[in-house]
Coordinates of all heavy atoms in Angstrom, one line a residue:
M1 N 75.6 97.3 159.6 CA 75.1 98.0 160.8 C 73.7 97.7 161.0 O 72.8 97.8 160.1 CB 75.3 99.5 160.6 CG 74.8 100.3 161.7 SD 75.1 102.1 161.5 CE 76.8 102.2 161.4
P2 N 73.3 97.2 162.2 CA 71.9 96.8 162.4 C 71.0 98.0 162.4 O 71.4 99.1 162.9 CB 71.9 96.1 163.8 CG 73.2 96.6 164.4 CD 74.1 97.0 163.3
H3 N 69.8 97.8 162.0 CA 68.8 98.8 162.0 C 68.0 98.8 163.3 O 67.5 97.8 163.7 CB 67.8 98.6 160.8 CG 66.6 99.5 160.8 ND1 66.8 100.9 160.5 CD2 65.3 99.3 161.1 CE1 65.6 101.4 160.6 NE2 64.7 100.5 160.9
R4 N 68.0 100.0 163.9 CA 67.2 100.2 165.2 C 65.8 100.7 164.8 O 65.7 101.7 164.1 CB 67.9 101.1 166.1 CG 69.2 100.6 166.6 CD 69.8 101.7 167.5 NE 71.2 101.8 167.2 CZ 72.1 102.3 167.9 NH1 71.8 102.8 169.1 NH2 73.3 102.3 167.6
P5 N 64.8 100.1 165.4 CA 63.5 100.7 165.1 C 63.3 102.0 165.7 O 63.8 102.3 166.8 CB 62.5 99.6 165.7 CG 63.3 98.9 166.8 CD 64.8 99.0 166.3
A6 N 62.5 102.9 165.0 CA 62.2 104.2 165.6 C 61.4 104.1 166.8 O 60.4 103.3 166.8 CB 61.6 105.1 164.5
P7 N 61.6 104.9 167.8 CA 60.8 104.8 169.0 C 59.4 105.4 168.7 O 59.3 106.2 167.7 CB 61.5 105.7 170.0 CG 62.4 106.6 169.2 CD 62.7 105.9 167.9
N8 N 58.4 105.0 169.4 CA 57.1 105.6 169.3 C 57.2 107.1 169.6 O 57.9 107.5 170.5 CB 56.1 105.0 170.2 CG 55.8 103.5 169.9 OD1 55.9 103.2 168.7 ND2 55.5 102.7 170.9
T9 N 56.5 107.9 168.8 CA 56.5 109.3 169.0 C 55.7 109.6 170.3 O 54.6 109.1 170.5 CB 55.8 110.0 167.8 OG1 56.5 109.7 166.6 CG2 55.8 111.5 168.0
S10 N 56.3 110.4 171.1 CA 55.7 110.8 172.4 C 55.1 112.2 172.2 O 55.8 113.2 172.2 CB 56.8 110.9 173.5 OG 56.3 111.4 174.7
A11 N 53.8 112.2 172.1 CA 53.0 113.4 171.9 C 53.2 114.3 173.2 O 53.3 115.5 173.1 CB 51.6 113.1 171.7
S12 N 53.3 113.7 174.3 CA 53.4 114.5 175.6 C 54.8 115.1 175.6 O 54.9 116.3 176.1 CB 53.2 113.6 176.8 OG 54.1 112.6 176.9
L13 N 55.8 114.4 175.2 CA 57.1 115.0 175.1 C 57.2 116.2 174.1 O 57.7 117.3 174.4 CB 58.2 114.0 174.8 CG 59.6 114.5 174.6 CD1 60.1 115.1 175.9 CD2 60.5 113.3 174.2
L14 N 56.6 116.0 173.0 CA 56.6 117.1 172.0 C 55.8 118.3 172.5 O 56.2 119.5 172.3 CB 55.9 116.6 170.7 CG 56.7 115.6 169.9 CD1 55.9 115.1 168.7 CD2 58.1 116.1 169.5
E15 N 54.8 118.1 173.2 CA 54.0 119.2 173.8 C 54.8 119.9 174.9 O 54.8 121.1 175.0 CB 52.7 118.7 174.4 CG 51.8 119.7 175.0 CD 51.3 120.8 173.9 OE1 51.5 120.6 172.7 OE2 50.8 121.8 174.4
R16 N 55.5 119.1 175.7 CA 56.4 119.7 176.7 C 57.4 120.7 176.1 O 57.6 121.8 176.6 CB 57.1 118.7 177.5 CG 56.4 118.0 178.6 CD 57.1 116.9 179.3 NE 58.4 117.2 179.8 CZ 59.3 116.3 180.1 NH1 59.1 115.0 179.8 NH2 60.5 116.6 180.5
L17 N 58.0 120.2 175.0 CA 59.0 121.0 174.3 C 58.4 122.3 173.7 O 59.0 123.3 173.6 CB 59.7 120.2 173.3 CG 60.6 119.1 173.9 CD1 61.1 118.2 172.8 CD2 61.8 119.7 174.6
R18 N 57.2 122.1 173.2 CA 56.5 123.2 172.5 C 56.2 124.3 173.5 O 56.4 125.5 173.3 CB 55.2 122.8 171.9 CG 54.6 123.9 171.0 CD 53.2 123.5 170.4 NE 52.2 123.3 171.5 CZ 51.6 124.3 172.1 NH1 51.9 125.6 171.7 NH2 50.7 124.1 173.0
V19 N 55.6 124.0 174.7 CA 55.2 125.0 175.7 C 56.4 125.5 176.6 O 56.3 126.5 177.1 CB 54.0 124.5 176.6 CG1 52.8 124.3 175.7 CG2 54.4 123.3 177.4
A20 N 57.4 124.7 176.7 CA 58.6 125.0 177.5 C 59.8 124.7 176.8 O 60.5 123.8 177.1 CB 58.5 124.3 178.9
P21 N 60.2 125.5 175.8 CA 61.3 125.2 174.9 C 62.7 125.2 175.7 O 63.7 124.8 175.2 CB 61.3 126.2 173.8 CG 60.4 127.3 174.3 CD 59.5 126.7 175.3
D22 N 62.7 125.8 176.9 CA 63.9 125.8 177.7 C 64.0 124.7 178.7 O 64.9 124.6 179.6 CB 64.0 127.1 178.4 CG 62.8 127.4 179.3 OD1 61.8 126.8 179.2 OD2 63.0 128.3 180.1
D23 N 63.1 123.7 178.6 CA 63.1 122.5 179.5 C 64.2 121.6 179.2 O 64.1 120.7 178.3 CB 61.7 121.8 179.4 CG 61.5 120.7 180.4 OD1 62.6 120.1 180.8 OD2 60.4 120.3 180.6
A24 N 65.3 121.7 179.9 CA 66.5 120.9 179.6 C 66.3 119.4 179.8 O 66.8 118.6 179.0 CB 67.7 121.4 180.5
A25 N 65.5 119.0 180.7 CA 65.2 117.6 180.9 C 64.4 117.0 179.7 O 64.7 115.9 179.3 CB 64.4 117.4 182.2
A26 N 63.5 117.8 179.2 CA 62.7 117.3 178.1 C 63.6 117.2 176.8 O 63.5 116.3 176.1 CB 61.5 118.3 177.8
W27 N 64.5 118.2 176.6 CA 65.4 118.1 175.5 C 66.3 117.0 175.6 O 66.6 116.3 174.6 CB 66.2 119.4 175.3 CG 65.3 120.4 174.6 CD1 64.8 121.6 175.1 CD2 64.9 120.3 173.2 NE1 64.1 122.2 174.1 CE2 64.1 121.5 173.0 CE3 65.1 119.4 172.2 CZ2 63.5 121.7 171.7 CZ3 64.5 119.6 171.0 CH2 63.7 120.8 170.8
G28 N 66.8 116.7 176.8 CA 67.7 115.5 177.0 C 67.0 114.3 176.7 O 67.5 113.4 176.0
E29 N 65.7 114.1 177.1 CA 64.9 112.9 176.7 C 64.7 112.9 175.2 O 64.9 111.8 174.6 CB 63.6 113.0 177.5 CG 62.7 111.8 177.3 CD 61.4 111.9 178.0 OE1 61.3 112.7 179.0 OE2 60.5 111.1 177.6
F30 N 64.4 114.0 174.6 CA 64.2 114.0 173.2 C 65.5 113.6 172.4 O 65.4 112.7 171.5 CB 63.8 115.4 172.7 CG 63.4 115.5 171.3 CD1 62.2 115.2 170.8 CD2 64.4 115.9 170.3 CE1 61.9 115.2 169.5 CE2 64.1 115.9 169.0 CZ 62.8 115.6 168.6
V31 N 66.6 114.2 172.8 CA 67.9 113.8 172.1 C 68.2 112.4 172.4 O 68.6 111.7 171.4 CB 69.0 114.8 172.6 CG1 70.4 114.3 172.1 CG2 68.7 116.2 172.1
D32 N 68.1 111.9 173.6 CA 68.4 110.5 173.9 C 67.5 109.6 173.0 O 67.9 108.5 172.5 CB 68.1 110.1 175.3 CG 69.2 110.7 176.2 OD1 70.3 111.2 175.7 OD2 69.0 110.8 177.5
R33 N 66.3 109.9 172.8 CA 65.3 109.1 172.2 C 65.5 109.1 170.6 O 65.4 108.0 170.0 CB 63.9 109.6 172.5 CG 62.8 108.8 171.9 CD 61.5 109.4 172.4 NE 61.0 108.5 173.4 CZ 59.7 108.2 173.6 NH1 58.8 108.7 172.9 NH2 59.4 107.4 174.6
Y34 N 65.7 110.2 170.1 CA 65.7 110.4 168.6 C 67.1 110.5 167.9 O 67.2 110.2 166.7 CB 64.8 111.5 168.2 CG 63.4 111.2 168.6 CD1 62.8 111.9 169.7 CD2 62.6 110.3 168.0 CE1 61.5 111.7 170.1 CE2 61.3 110.0 168.4 CZ 60.7 110.7 169.4 OH 59.5 110.5 169.8
S35 N 68.1 111.0 168.6 CA 69.4 111.2 167.9 C 70.0 110.0 167.4 O 70.5 110.0 166.3 CB 70.3 112.0 168.8 OG 70.7 111.2 169.9
V36 N 69.9 108.9 168.1 CA 70.4 107.6 167.6 C 69.7 107.1 166.4 O 70.4 106.7 165.4 CB 70.3 106.5 168.7 CG1 70.8 105.2 168.2 CG2 71.2 107.0 169.9
V37 N 68.4 107.3 166.3 CA 67.6 106.9 165.1 C 68.0 107.8 163.9 O 68.3 107.2 162.8 CB 66.1 107.0 165.4 CG1 65.3 106.7 164.2 CG2 65.7 106.1 166.6
L38 N 68.2 109.1 164.1 CA 68.6 109.9 163.0 C 70.0 109.6 162.6 O 70.2 109.5 161.4 CB 68.6 111.4 163.5 CG 67.2 112.0 163.7 CD1 67.4 113.3 164.5 CD2 66.5 112.2 162.4
Y39 N 70.9 109.4 163.5 CA 72.3 109.0 163.1 C 72.3 107.7 162.4 O 73.0 107.6 161.3 CB 73.1 108.9 164.4 CG 74.5 108.4 164.1 CD1 75.5 109.3 163.7 CD2 74.8 107.1 164.3 CE1 76.8 108.8 163.5 CE2 76.1 106.6 164.0 CZ 77.1 107.5 163.6 OH 78.3 107.0 163.4
D40 N 71.6 106.7 162.9 CA 71.5 105.4 162.2 C 71.0 105.5 160.7 O 71.5 104.9 159.8 CB 70.7 104.4 162.9 CG 71.4 103.8 164.2 OD1 72.6 104.1 164.4 OD2 70.7 103.2 165.0
W41 N 70.0 106.3 160.6 CA 69.4 106.6 159.3 C 70.4 107.2 158.3 O 70.5 106.8 157.2 CB 68.1 107.4 159.4 CG 67.4 107.7 158.2 CD1 66.5 106.8 157.6 CD2 67.5 108.8 157.3 NE1 66.0 107.4 156.4 CE2 66.6 108.6 156.2 CE3 68.2 110.0 157.4 CZ2 66.5 109.5 155.2 CZ3 68.1 110.9 156.3 CH2 67.2 110.7 155.3
C42 N 71.1 108.2 158.8 CA 72.2 108.8 158.0 C 73.2 107.8 157.6 O 73.7 107.8 156.4 CB 72.8 110.0 158.8 SG 71.7 111.4 159.0
R43 N 73.7 107.0 158.5 CA 74.7 106.0 158.2 C 74.2 105.0 157.2 O 74.9 104.5 156.3 CB 75.2 105.3 159.5 CG 75.9 106.2 160.5 CD 77.2 106.6 160.0 NE 78.1 105.4 160.0 CZ 79.3 105.4 159.6 NH1 79.9 106.5 159.0 NH2 80.0 104.3 159.6
Q44 N 72.9 104.6 157.3 CA 72.4 103.6 156.3 C 72.4 104.2 154.9 O 72.4 103.5 153.9 CB 70.9 103.3 156.7 CG 70.9 102.3 157.9 CD 69.5 102.0 158.3 OE1 68.5 102.4 157.7 NE2 69.4 101.3 159.4
W45 N 72.3 105.6 154.8 CA 72.3 106.2 153.5 C 73.8 106.5 153.0 O 74.0 107.1 152.0 CB 71.6 107.5 153.6 CG 70.1 107.3 153.4 CD1 69.2 107.1 154.4 CD2 69.4 107.1 152.2 NE1 67.9 106.8 153.9 CE2 68.0 106.8 152.5 CE3 69.7 107.1 150.8 CZ2 67.1 106.6 151.5 CZ3 68.8 106.9 149.9 CH2 67.5 106.6 150.2
G46 N 74.7 105.9 153.8 CA 76.1 106.0 153.4 C 76.9 107.2 153.8 O 78.1 107.3 153.4
L47 N 76.4 108.0 154.7 CA 77.2 109.1 155.3 C 78.3 108.6 156.2 O 78.1 107.6 156.9 CB 76.3 110.1 156.0 CG 75.6 111.2 155.2 CD1 74.6 110.6 154.3 CD2 75.0 112.2 156.1
Q48 N 79.4 109.3 156.1 CA 80.5 109.0 157.0 C 80.1 109.4 158.4 O 79.2 110.2 158.6 CB 81.8 109.8 156.6 CG 82.3 109.4 155.3 CD 82.8 107.9 155.2 OE1 83.4 107.5 156.2 NE2 82.6 107.2 154.1
D49 N 80.8 108.9 159.5 CA 80.5 109.2 160.8 C 80.3 110.7 161.1 O 79.3 111.2 161.6 CB 81.5 108.7 161.8 CG 81.3 109.0 163.2 OD1 80.3 108.6 163.8 OD2 82.1 109.8 163.8
A50 N 81.3 111.5 160.7 CA 81.2 113.0 161.0 C 80.1 113.6 160.3 O 79.4 114.5 160.9 CB 82.5 113.6 160.6
D51 N 79.8 113.2 159.1 CA 78.7 113.8 158.3 C 77.4 113.4 158.9 O 76.4 114.2 159.0 CB 78.7 113.4 156.8 CG 80.0 113.9 156.1 OD1 80.4 115.0 156.5 OD2 80.4 113.3 155.2
A52 N 77.3 112.1 159.3 CA 76.0 111.7 160.0 C 75.8 112.5 161.3 O 74.6 112.8 161.6 CB 76.1 110.2 160.3
R53 N 76.8 112.7 162.0 CA 76.7 113.5 163.3 C 76.2 115.0 162.9 O 75.4 115.5 163.6 CB 78.0 113.5 164.1 CG 78.2 112.1 164.7 CD 79.5 112.1 165.4 NE 79.9 110.8 165.8 CZ 79.4 110.2 166.9 NH1 78.5 110.8 167.7 NH2 79.8 109.0 167.2
D54 N 76.8 115.5 161.9 CA 76.4 116.9 161.5 C 75.0 117.0 161.1 O 74.3 117.9 161.4 CB 77.3 117.4 160.3 CG 78.7 117.7 160.8 OD1 79.0 117.8 162.0 OD2 79.6 117.8 159.9
V55 N 74.5 116.0 160.3 CA 73.1 116.0 159.8 C 72.2 115.8 161.0 O 71.2 116.5 161.1 CB 72.9 114.9 158.7 CG1 71.4 114.7 158.4 CG2 73.7 115.3 157.5
T56 N 72.6 114.9 161.9 CA 71.7 114.7 163.1 C 71.6 115.9 163.9 O 70.5 116.3 164.3 CB 72.4 113.5 164.0 OG1 72.4 112.3 163.2 CG2 71.6 113.3 165.2
Q57 N 72.7 116.6 164.1 CA 72.7 117.9 164.8 C 71.8 118.9 164.1 O 71.0 119.7 164.7 CB 74.1 118.4 165.0 CG 74.1 119.7 165.9 CD 75.6 120.1 166.2 OE1 76.5 119.7 165.5 NE2 75.7 120.9 167.2
A58 N 71.9 119.0 162.8 CA 71.2 120.0 162.0 C 69.7 119.7 162.1 O 68.9 120.6 162.2 CB 71.6 120.0 160.5
V59 N 69.3 118.4 162.1 CA 67.9 118.1 162.2 C 67.4 118.5 163.6 O 66.3 119.0 163.7 CB 67.6 116.6 161.9 CG1 66.2 116.2 162.3 CG2 67.9 116.3 160.4
L60 N 68.1 118.2 164.6 CA 67.7 118.5 166.0 C 67.6 120.0 166.1 O 66.6 120.5 166.8 CB 68.7 117.9 167.0 CG 68.6 116.4 167.1 CD1 69.8 115.9 168.0 CD2 67.3 115.9 167.6
L61 N 68.5 120.8 165.5 CA 68.4 122.2 165.6 C 67.1 122.7 164.9 O 66.5 123.6 165.4 CB 69.7 122.8 165.0 CG 69.8 124.4 165.0 CD1 69.7 124.9 166.4 CD2 71.1 124.8 164.4
K62 N 66.8 122.2 163.8 CA 65.6 122.6 163.1 C 64.3 122.3 164.0 O 63.4 123.0 164.0 CB 65.4 121.8 161.7 CG 66.2 122.5 160.7 CD 65.8 122.0 159.3 CE 66.7 122.6 158.3 NZ 66.1 123.5 157.5
M63 N 64.4 121.2 164.7 CA 63.3 120.8 165.6 C 63.2 121.9 166.7 O 62.1 122.3 167.0 CB 63.5 119.5 166.3 CG 63.4 118.3 165.4 SD 61.7 118.1 164.8 CE 60.8 117.9 166.3
V64 N 64.3 122.3 167.2 CA 64.3 123.4 168.2 C 63.5 124.6 167.7 O 62.7 125.2 168.4 CB 65.7 123.8 168.7 CG1 65.7 125.1 169.5 CG2 66.4 122.7 169.4
R65 N 63.8 125.0 166.5 CA 63.2 126.2 165.9 C 61.8 126.0 165.5 O 61.0 127.0 165.6 CB 64.0 126.6 164.7 CG 65.4 127.0 165.0 CD 66.2 127.4 163.8 NE 67.5 127.8 164.1 CZ 68.6 127.7 163.4 NH1 68.5 127.1 162.2 NH2 69.8 128.2 163.8
R66 N 61.4 124.8 165.2 CA 60.0 124.6 164.7 C 59.0 124.1 165.7 O 57.8 124.2 165.5 CB 60.0 123.6 163.5 CG 61.0 123.9 162.4 CD 60.2 124.7 161.4 NE 61.1 125.3 160.4 CZ 61.1 124.9 159.1 NH1 60.2 124.1 158.7 NH2 61.9 125.5 158.3
L67 N 59.5 123.6 166.8 CA 58.5 123.0 167.8 C 57.6 124.0 168.4 O 56.5 123.6 168.9 CB 59.3 122.3 168.9 CG 59.5 120.8 168.6 CD1 60.4 120.2 169.7 CD2 58.2 120.1 168.5
R68 N 57.9 125.3 168.5 CA 57.0 126.3 169.1 C 55.7 126.4 168.3 O 54.7 126.7 168.9 CB 57.7 127.6 169.1 CG 58.8 127.7 170.1 CD 59.4 129.0 170.3 NE 60.5 128.9 171.2 CZ 61.6 129.5 171.1 NH1 61.9 130.2 170.0 NH2 62.6 129.4 172.0
T69 N 55.7 126.0 167.1 CA 54.4 126.1 166.3 C 53.9 124.7 165.9 O 52.9 124.6 165.2 CB 54.6 127.0 165.0 OG1 55.7 126.4 164.2 CG2 55.0 128.4 165.4
F70 N 54.6 123.7 166.3 CA 54.3 122.3 165.9 C 53.0 121.8 166.6 O 52.9 122.1 167.8 CB 55.4 121.4 166.2 CG 55.2 119.9 165.9 CD1 55.2 119.5 164.6 CD2 54.8 119.1 166.9 CE1 55.0 118.2 164.3 CE2 54.6 117.7 166.6 CZ 54.7 117.3 165.3
R71 N 52.1 121.2 165.9 CA 51.0 120.5 166.5 C 50.9 119.1 166.1 O 50.8 118.8 164.9 CB 49.7 121.2 166.1 CG 49.6 122.7 166.4 CD 49.2 122.8 167.9 NE 49.0 124.2 168.2 CZ 49.7 124.9 169.0 NH1 50.7 124.4 169.7 NH2 49.4 126.2 169.3
Y72 N 51.0 118.2 167.1 CA 51.0 116.8 166.8 C 49.6 116.3 166.6 O 48.7 116.6 167.4 CB 51.7 116.0 167.9 CG 51.7 114.5 167.7 CD1 52.7 114.0 166.9 CD2 50.8 113.7 168.3 CE1 52.8 112.6 166.6 CE2 50.9 112.3 168.1 CZ 51.9 111.8 167.3 OH 51.9 110.4 167.1
D73 N 49.3 115.6 165.5 CA 47.9 115.1 165.3 C 47.9 113.7 165.0 O 48.5 113.0 164.4 CB 47.2 115.9 164.2 CG 47.8 115.8 162.9 OD1 48.7 115.0 162.6 OD2 47.5 116.6 162.0

């Protein structure tokens, strides 16, 4: 499976999510940008498809909970 490079971190997108956690468009952009990278990383570590999807979802859920206090530096 080819390795996809991680996208550059978008500080402005993270800030949008922090100040407006209900911004569906920002979450859509975030998921589009980072879920594939998380999934690929899980698969490289040998997780099966369903497990990789579960871990990806769990990581994204943790991001939802933590972004309100997150500060990008």
Side-chain angles (χ1 to χ4, degrees):
M1 178 178 299
H3 173 70
R4 293 178 226 200
N8 291 331
T9 301
S10 172
S12 62
L13 177 57
L14 294 175
E15 183 63 13
R16 278 174 56 201
L17 292 169
R18 188 184 70 75
V19 297
D22 58 344
D23 184 338
W27 278 112
E29 185 179 339
F30 184 86
V31 170
D32 288 346
R33 180 177 261 217
Y34 297 106
S35 64
V36 174
V37 176
L38 290 167
Y39 174 83
D40 286 351
W41 183 81
C42 290
R43 294 291 290 176
Q44 287 175 5
W45 279 94
L47 273 67
Q48 297 293 323
D49 175 67
D51 294 331
R53 291 179 188 279
D54 287 346
V55 170
T56 298
Q57 184 176 18
V59 170
L60 292 172
L61 183 57
K62 281 194 182 249
M63 288 294 300
V64 168
R65 293 179 178 151
R66 303 271 172 115
L67 268 175
R68 289 185 181 137
T69 60
F70 179 79
R71 298 284 186 243
Y72 183 78
D73 59 14

